[in-house]
Amino acid sequence: MSHEIFQNYINGQWVGSSAAIENINPSDTSDIVGHYAKASSEDCLAAIAAANAAFADWSKSGLEQRKQVLDFIGAELIARSAEIGEILAREEGKTRAEGVGEVYRSGQFFQYYGAEALRLMGENTQSVRPGVDVEVHREALGVVGIVTPWNFPMAVAAWKVAPALAYGNAVVLKPAELVPASAWILADIISRSGLPAGAFNLVMGSGRDVGETLCTSPDIQAVTFTGSVGVGRHIARNAIDNMARVQLEMGSKNALVVLDDADMDTAVNCALAGGYFGTGQKCTASSRIIVQSGIHDAFVEKLSAAVSKLVVGHALGEGSQIGPVVDARQLQQNLDYMQIAKDEGAELLVGGERLNLDTDGFFMSPALFVNTTNQMRINREEVFGPIACVIKVDSYEQALEVSNDSDFGLTSGIITNSLHHAGHFKRHSQSGCVMVNLPTAGTDYHVPFGGRKNSSYGPREQGSSAREFYTIVKTNYSKPY
Ligand code: NAP
Ligand code: MG
């Protein structure tokens, strides 16, 4: 255990604080990942002022300089992914393999946007007025406030910070209070990347004070947020008051459809990966499994056998497949939803119990319910835990209807060998990302990511779509002769 206090990073300086955040390992509450300086609202205002001052130069920096900074950050994340991935797994509770994979992917985001910085093409066209030329440029926005959730402590920060910097913006990052270590490591790498002081700032602290100060500041030009619907809606209202741009990625209740003609192993593996990996704490998790009647009984038998064999354990344990839930509050929420589902008449096939293992952690066994209806709260509200429900349907048409009958629409999936049904589902599924014969979780970095309905608001993230949010367009007219 370290007695060092990891500090906030403001205007190129490491800044201490009188209060500290204790970062606890959810696999073993006796393991303290570290103590992190808790920023005050004043620290946040200083970070915003520093970012505004740095923006003037960074927004005019050469593209090669931006690429070098982003390449440096990406290369170090990738080179150190084993070491940093272990710390991520310790603070968040996902397995070591998932933690290492997340850090590696975060490095890829920086490398991708390093290259994207060189590809910021505009448009050149003729005016409708003869002899007049038109150019459409993209310019940096200003200071971007970035607020991230606990479930992907490095990846969400990476996919927001990398495009923000690549397109010449300055950044203030507020990570989730539960998981400051990953964001601190990112700040440490950025501090050595050659980025000018003030262009990136880290303020660790609670959403209610530091987050609120950041998102209500009239001195930021944009807010990008990933987290819950309630906080997202609140942030959007505040942003509108300041006429700041806003981008929200929120919860979901993603459906995986399994048709009668599905390959059984593909169906079971996709349901397992999408429903339970990452302890079900993914916005892209498939918590509703909509299964056609002909395959229903055989599929349920195979899936429940596979779920009961999943190894729950310490995130760093050999052979652990499912780590702990992130904290006591989330664990209690999951157990409450177990009871709600039973009270609604859902039939529990396996799991849903609090587990006492060798270390004192927030462990529960992955749960599978059958005989559920899409009207039950367990199928309408996001639980964010290792709990999935089977809904039986008679036909593809009914499966599509049930899948779309949700307040959310981030991802959806279908397991089928029918070209017709796969094609129809891709066209008619009301979600942002549609997966055919793949789990609903697991997306690439070079293509757009985002959802519909209550799952997202504003322009898409990732890929070249990110520039829609992180740049502002200017249209120039000129009469050269
Ligand atoms: P959350 O409670 O909404 O928190 C998200 C972030 O917002 C945290 O950094 C939080 O700070 C901060 N925050 C809270 N109140 C704030 C305020 N008034 N102003 C500014 N910031 C504020 O969500 P969470 O519990 O961390 O994450 C779980 C949720 O995230 C789930 O609903 C999940 O579906 C969603 N999620 C969505 C995606 C996606 O891409 N669609 C990806 C991952 C997660 P504190 O942590 O300090 O409270
Ligand atoms: Mg923690």
Side-chain angles (χ1 to χ4, degrees):
M1 199 208 292
S2 160
H3 293 282
E4 182 187 356
I5 302 237
F6 296 95
Q7 297 180 320
N8 291 296
Y9 187 64
I10 299 169
N11 202 18
Q13 307 286 320
W14 294 103
V15 177
S17 143
S18 52
I21 301 164
E22 195 175 59
N23 187 352
I24 294 166
N25 180 347
S27 296
D28 175 0
T29 58
S30 70
D31 176 28
I32 309 298
V33 180
H35 292 90
Y36 293 78
K38 192 167 177 164
S40 62
S41 290
E42 290 69 36
D43 292 330
C44 185
L45 293 174
I48 295 167
N52 258 308
F55 174 72
D57 283 342
W58 180 245
S59 59
K60 294 183 201 80
S61 58
L63 299 184
E64 184 63 27
Q65 185 190 357
R66 293 188 206 170
K67 181 176 187 304
Q68 280 170 2
V69 165
L70 289 160
D71 277 351
F72 177 97
I73 302 165
E76 184 162 333
L77 284 168
I78 287 173
R80 293 174 56 200
S81 56
E83 169 217 339
I84 301 170
E86 179 173 314
I87 297 171
L88 196 166
R90 267 175 75 208
E91 77 168 340
E92 199 273 349
K94 62 184 65 182
T95 63
R96 182 194 297 273
E98 288 170 329
V100 173
E102 179 174 339
V103 176
Y104 194 95
R105 171 54 59 92
S106 301
Q108 291 175 312
F109 275 111
F110 279 95
Q111 293 188 331
Y112 172 79
Y113 282 106
E116 277 294 286
L118 301 180
R119 278 193 285 261
L120 189 59
M121 305 297 174
E123 290 168 49
N124 234 314
T125 187
Q126 288 179 36
S127 166
V128 292
R129 285 166 279 168
V132 174
D133 291 338
V134 180
E135 302 157 346
V136 183
H137 282 287
R138 284 180 182 274
E139 296 181 358
L141 288 175
V143 179
V144 179
I146 299 183
V147 178
T148 56
W150 50 260
N151 65 336
F152 284 96
M154 190 66 92
V156 178
W159 80 54
K160 294 177 188 296
V161 172
L165 294 178
Y167 297 127
N169 301 287
V171 166
V172 178
L173 168 64
K174 207 291 292 173
E177 193 172 1
L178 271 177
V179 290
S182 299
W184 187 90
I185 292 169
L186 180 61
D188 176 55
I189 295 173
I190 291 175
S191 76
R192 290 180 276 100
S193 68
L195 186 74
F200 170 87
N201 304 272
L202 172 72
V203 285
M204 301 174 287
S206 85
R208 230 172 283 125
D209 46 75
V210 178
E212 187 77 12
T213 302
L214 178 59
C215 297
T216 53
S217 167
D219 296 325
I220 61 168
Q221 276 65 51
V223 187
T224 175
F225 165 85
T226 298
S228 60
V229 177
V231 174
R233 189 172 275 129
H234 172 77
I235 284 178
R237 289 197 176 111
N238 286 335
I240 297 302
D241 278 347
N242 288 322
M243 296 296 170
R245 249 181 218 204
V246 61
Q247 175 183 63
L248 311 172
E249 294 294 343
M250 298 165 289
S252 199
K253 199 70 206 169
N254 307 302
L256 178 72
V257 170
V258 177
L259 295 186
D260 282 350
D261 68 359
D263 176 75
M264 183 64 87
D265 288 343
T266 304
V268 171
N269 290 336
C270 289
L272 266 192
Y276 303 102
F277 290 175
T279 322
Q281 299 175 145
K282 296 181 185 177
C283 49
T284 52
S286 40
S287 47
R288 295 186 297 145
I289 312 174
I290 301 167
V291 186
Q292 205 176 350
S293 47
I295 196 173
H296 177 273
D297 293 358
F299 170 79
V300 161
E301 195 185 317
K302 286 212 157 64
L303 180 61
S304 63
V307 171
S308 62
K309 284 199 207 91
L310 286 171
V311 180
V312 179
H314 192 297
L316 301 178
E318 277 299 317
S320 291
Q321 290 175 293
I322 307 287
V325 170
V326 75
D327 69 355
R329 195 196 54 82
Q330 182 68 47
L331 177 61
Q332 189 54 50
Q333 183 177 311
N334 296 351
L335 297 174
D336 290 348
Y337 270 107
M338 289 298 303
Q339 193 56 47
I340 289 168
K342 288 175 195 166
D343 291 346
E344 288 178 306
E347 183 189 331
L348 180 64
L349 280 193
V350 51
E353 306 268 317
R354 165 120 216 215
L355 298 177
N356 292 308
L357 305 181
D358 293 345
T359 51
D360 179 30
F362 308 114
F363 300 103
M364 73 174 276
S365 52
L368 180 65
F369 283 103
V370 293
N371 290 329
T372 73
T373 72
N374 200 44
Q375 306 318 317
M376 293 177 175
R377 279 182 66 192
I378 193 73
N379 282 321
R380 304 213 74 86
E381 298 169 17
E382 185 177 55
V383 179
F384 224 54
I387 302 171
C389 295
V390 172
I391 303 169
K392 189 171 167 179
V393 293
D394 292 324
S395 62
Y396 163 75
E397 288 71 25
Q398 199 190 347
L400 175 67
E401 191 185 313
V402 170
S403 146
N404 285 338
D405 177 11
S406 173
D407 294 336
F408 298 104
L410 184 55
T411 65
S412 60
I414 188 166
I415 313 297
T416 180
N417 281 316
S418 157
L419 189 61
H420 168 72
H421 287 141
H424 192 273
F425 191 76
K426 282 191 282 183
R427 280 190 174 225
H428 297 283
S429 180
Q430 293 163 7
S431 68
C433 310
V434 181
M435 314 295 186
V436 176
N437 294 325
L438 290 166
T440 57
T443 56
D444 288 356
Y445 54 88
H446 66 307
V447 287
F449 174 72
R452 299 185 182 183
K453 304 180 188 171
N454 285 353
S455 292
S456 294
Y457 182 81
R460 287 285 185 260
E461 302 198 81
Q462 304 182 21
S464 55
S465 294
R467 69 177 179 214
E468 297 300 332
F469 182 72
Y470 293 100
T471 65
I472 191 157
V473 159
K474 180 180 279 170
T475 312
N476 295 325
Y477 295 84
S478 52
K479 194 169 181 190
Y481 42 82

Coordinates of all heavy atoms in Angstrom, one line a residue, residues 147-151 174-177 205-207 211-212 215 225-228 231 234-235 249-251 283 382 384 410 449, ligand 1:
V147 N -16.6 14.2 -18.8 CA -17.0 13.5 -17.6 C -17.2 12.0 -17.9 O -18.0 11.7 -18.8 CB -18.3 14.1 -17.1 CG1 -18.8 13.4 -15.8 CG2 -18.1 15.6 -16.8
T148 N -16.5 11.2 -17.2 CA -16.5 9.7 -17.5 C -17.1 8.9 -16.4 O -17.0 9.2 -15.2 CB -15.1 9.3 -17.9 OG1 -14.2 9.6 -16.8 CG2 -14.6 10.0 -19.1
P149 N -17.6 7.7 -16.7 CA -18.1 6.7 -15.8 C -17.1 5.8 -15.2 O -15.9 5.8 -15.7 CB -19.2 6.0 -16.6 CG -18.5 5.9 -17.9 CD -17.7 7.1 -18.1
W150 N -17.4 4.9 -14.3 CA -16.5 4.0 -13.7 C -16.2 2.7 -14.4 O -15.3 2.0 -14.2 CB -16.9 3.7 -12.2 CG -18.3 3.2 -12.1 CD1 -19.4 4.0 -11.7 CD2 -18.8 1.9 -12.3 NE1 -20.5 3.2 -11.7 CE2 -20.2 2.0 -12.1 CE3 -18.3 0.7 -12.8 CZ2 -21.0 0.8 -12.2 CZ3 -19.1 -0.4 -13.0 CH2 -20.5 -0.3 -12.7
N151 N -17.2 2.4 -15.4 CA -17.1 1.0 -15.9 C -16.0 0.8 -16.9 O -15.5 -0.3 -17.1 CB -18.4 0.6 -16.4 CG -18.9 1.4 -17.6 OD1 -18.5 2.5 -17.8 ND2 -19.8 0.8 -18.4
K174 N -12.9 15.0 -15.8 CA -13.4 14.6 -14.5 C -13.8 13.2 -14.5 O -14.8 12.8 -15.0 CB -14.6 15.5 -14.1 CG -14.8 15.7 -12.6 CD -15.2 14.5 -11.8 CE -16.6 13.9 -12.0 NZ -16.7 12.7 -11.1
P175 N -12.9 12.3 -14.0 CA -13.2 10.8 -14.0 C -14.2 10.5 -12.9 O -14.4 11.3 -12.0 CB -11.9 10.2 -13.8 CG -11.1 11.2 -13.0 CD -11.6 12.5 -13.4
A176 N -14.8 9.3 -12.9 CA -15.7 8.9 -11.8 C -14.8 8.8 -10.6 O -13.7 8.3 -10.6 CB -16.3 7.5 -12.2
E177 N -15.5 9.2 -9.5 CA -14.7 9.2 -8.2 C -14.3 7.8 -7.8 O -13.3 7.7 -7.1 CB -15.7 9.8 -7.1 CG -14.9 10.2 -5.9 CD -15.7 11.0 -4.9 OE1 -16.9 11.2 -5.2 OE2 -15.2 11.3 -3.8
G205 N -12.6 14.0 -8.4 CA -13.5 14.5 -7.3 C -14.9 14.1 -7.6 O -15.1 13.3 -8.6
S206 N -15.8 14.5 -6.9 CA -17.2 14.0 -7.0 C -18.0 14.8 -8.1 O -17.7 15.9 -8.4 CB -17.9 14.1 -5.7 OG -18.5 15.4 -5.6
G207 N -18.9 14.1 -8.7 CA -19.8 14.7 -9.7 C -20.5 15.9 -9.2 O -20.7 16.9 -9.9
G211 N -17.8 18.0 -10.8 CA -18.5 17.7 -12.1 C -19.5 18.9 -12.4 O -19.5 19.4 -13.5
E212 N -20.2 19.3 -11.4 CA -21.2 20.3 -11.5 C -20.5 21.7 -11.9 O -20.9 22.4 -12.8 CB -22.0 20.5 -10.2 CG -23.1 21.4 -10.2 CD -24.4 20.9 -10.9 OE1 -24.4 19.6 -11.2 OE2 -25.3 21.7 -11.2
C215 N -19.4 21.4 -15.6 CA -20.5 21.4 -16.6 C -21.3 22.6 -16.6 O -22.1 22.9 -17.5 CB -21.3 20.2 -16.4 SG -20.4 18.6 -16.7
F225 N -20.2 13.5 -22.1 CA -20.5 12.8 -20.9 C -20.8 11.4 -21.2 O -21.6 11.1 -22.2 CB -21.7 13.5 -20.2 CG -22.4 12.7 -19.1 CD1 -21.9 12.6 -17.8 CD2 -23.5 11.9 -19.4 CE1 -22.5 11.9 -16.9 CE2 -24.1 11.1 -18.5 CZ -23.6 11.1 -17.2
T226 N -20.4 10.4 -20.4 CA -20.9 9.0 -20.5 C -21.2 8.7 -19.1 O -20.5 8.9 -18.1 CB -19.8 8.1 -21.0 OG1 -19.5 8.5 -22.4 CG2 -20.3 6.6 -21.0
G227 N -22.5 8.1 -18.9 CA -22.9 7.8 -17.6 C -24.4 7.5 -17.6 O -24.9 7.0 -18.6
S228 N -25.1 7.8 -16.5 CA -26.5 7.5 -16.4 C -27.4 8.5 -17.1 O -27.0 9.7 -17.3 CB -26.9 7.4 -14.9 OG -26.6 8.6 -14.3
V231 N -28.2 11.8 -14.8 CA -27.1 12.8 -14.8 C -26.9 13.5 -16.2 O -26.7 14.7 -16.3 CB -25.8 12.2 -14.3 CG1 -24.6 13.2 -14.3 CG2 -25.9 11.7 -12.8
H234 N -29.5 16.2 -16.7 CA -29.1 17.4 -15.9 C -28.0 18.1 -16.6 O -28.0 19.4 -16.7 CB -28.7 16.8 -14.5 CG -28.2 17.9 -13.6 ND1 -29.0 18.8 -13.0 CD2 -26.9 18.1 -13.3 CE1 -28.2 19.6 -12.3 NE2 -26.9 19.2 -12.4
I235 N -27.0 17.4 -17.1 CA -25.8 18.1 -17.7 C -26.3 18.8 -19.0 O -25.8 19.9 -19.3 CB -24.7 17.0 -18.0 CG1 -24.0 16.7 -16.7 CG2 -23.7 17.5 -19.1 CD1 -22.9 15.7 -16.8
E249 N -23.6 9.9 -23.8 CA -23.8 8.4 -24.0 C -24.2 7.8 -22.7 O -23.6 8.0 -21.7 CB -22.4 7.8 -24.4 CG -21.9 8.2 -25.7 CD -22.8 7.8 -26.9 OE1 -23.6 6.9 -26.8 OE2 -22.6 8.4 -28.0
M250 N -25.4 7.1 -22.7 CA -26.0 6.7 -21.4 C -26.3 5.3 -21.4 O -25.6 4.5 -22.0 CB -27.2 7.6 -21.2 CG -26.8 9.1 -21.1 SD -28.1 10.3 -21.2 CE -28.5 10.1 -22.9
G251 N -27.3 4.9 -20.6 CA -27.6 3.5 -20.4 C -28.2 2.8 -21.5 O -28.5 3.4 -22.6
C283 N -22.5 -0.7 -21.0 CA -23.6 -0.1 -21.5 C -24.1 -0.9 -22.8 O -25.2 -0.8 -23.2 CB -23.3 1.4 -21.9 SG -21.8 1.5 -22.8
E382 N -32.4 -0.4 -16.6 CA -31.0 -0.9 -16.6 C -30.6 -1.3 -15.2 O -30.7 -0.5 -14.3 CB -30.1 0.2 -17.2 CG -28.7 -0.3 -17.3 CD -27.8 0.7 -17.9 OE1 -27.7 1.8 -17.4 OE2 -27.1 0.4 -19.0
F384 N -27.4 -3.0 -14.8 CA -25.9 -2.8 -14.8 C -25.2 -3.9 -14.0 O -24.3 -3.6 -13.2 CB -25.5 -1.4 -14.4 CG -24.5 -0.8 -15.3 CD1 -24.7 -0.7 -16.7 CD2 -23.3 -0.3 -14.8 CE1 -23.7 -0.2 -17.5 CE2 -22.4 0.3 -15.6 CZ -22.6 0.4 -17.0
L410 N -29.1 1.4 -27.6 CA -27.6 1.5 -27.9 C -27.2 0.5 -28.9 O -26.8 0.8 -30.0 CB -26.8 1.5 -26.6 CG -25.3 1.7 -26.8 CD1 -25.0 3.0 -27.5 CD2 -24.6 1.7 -25.4
F449 N -19.8 5.2 -32.9 CA -20.4 4.5 -31.8 C -21.4 5.4 -31.1 O -21.1 6.6 -30.8 CB -19.3 4.1 -30.7 CG -19.9 3.5 -29.5 CD1 -20.4 2.3 -29.5 CD2 -19.9 4.3 -28.3 CE1 -21.0 1.7 -28.3 CE2 -20.5 3.7 -27.1 CZ -21.0 2.4 -27.1
Ligands
NAP1 P1 -23.2 8.4 -13.3 O1 -23.6 8.3 -11.9 O2 -24.1 9.1 -14.2 O3 -21.8 9.1 -13.3 C1 -21.1 9.4 -14.5 C2 -20.1 10.5 -14.3 O4 -20.9 11.7 -14.0 C3 -19.2 10.3 -13.0 O5 -18.0 10.9 -13.3 C4 -20.0 11.2 -12.0 O6 -19.2 11.6 -10.9 C5 -20.4 12.4 -12.8 N1 -21.5 13.2 -12.3 C6 -22.4 12.9 -11.4 N2 -23.2 13.9 -11.1 C7 -22.8 15.0 -11.9 C8 -23.2 16.3 -12.1 N3 -24.2 16.9 -11.4 N4 -22.5 17.1 -13.0 C9 -21.4 16.6 -13.6 N5 -21.0 15.3 -13.5 C10 -21.7 14.5 -12.6 O7 -22.9 7.0 -14.0 P2 -22.0 5.8 -13.4 O8 -22.7 5.2 -12.2 O9 -20.6 6.3 -13.3 O10 -21.9 4.8 -14.6 C11 -22.9 3.9 -14.9 C12 -23.8 4.4 -16.0 O11 -23.1 4.8 -17.2 C13 -24.8 3.3 -16.5 O12 -26.1 3.9 -16.6 C14 -24.2 3.0 -17.9 O13 -25.2 2.5 -18.8 C15 -23.6 4.2 -18.4 N6 -22.6 4.0 -19.4 C16 -22.9 4.3 -20.7 C17 -21.9 4.1 -21.7 C18 -22.2 4.5 -23.1 O14 -21.3 4.7 -23.9 N7 -23.5 4.6 -23.5 C19 -20.7 3.6 -21.4 C20 -20.4 3.3 -20.0 C21 -21.4 3.5 -19.0 P3 -19.0 10.6 -9.6 O15 -18.6 9.3 -10.1 O16 -18.0 11.3 -8.9 O17 -20.3 10.6 -9.0

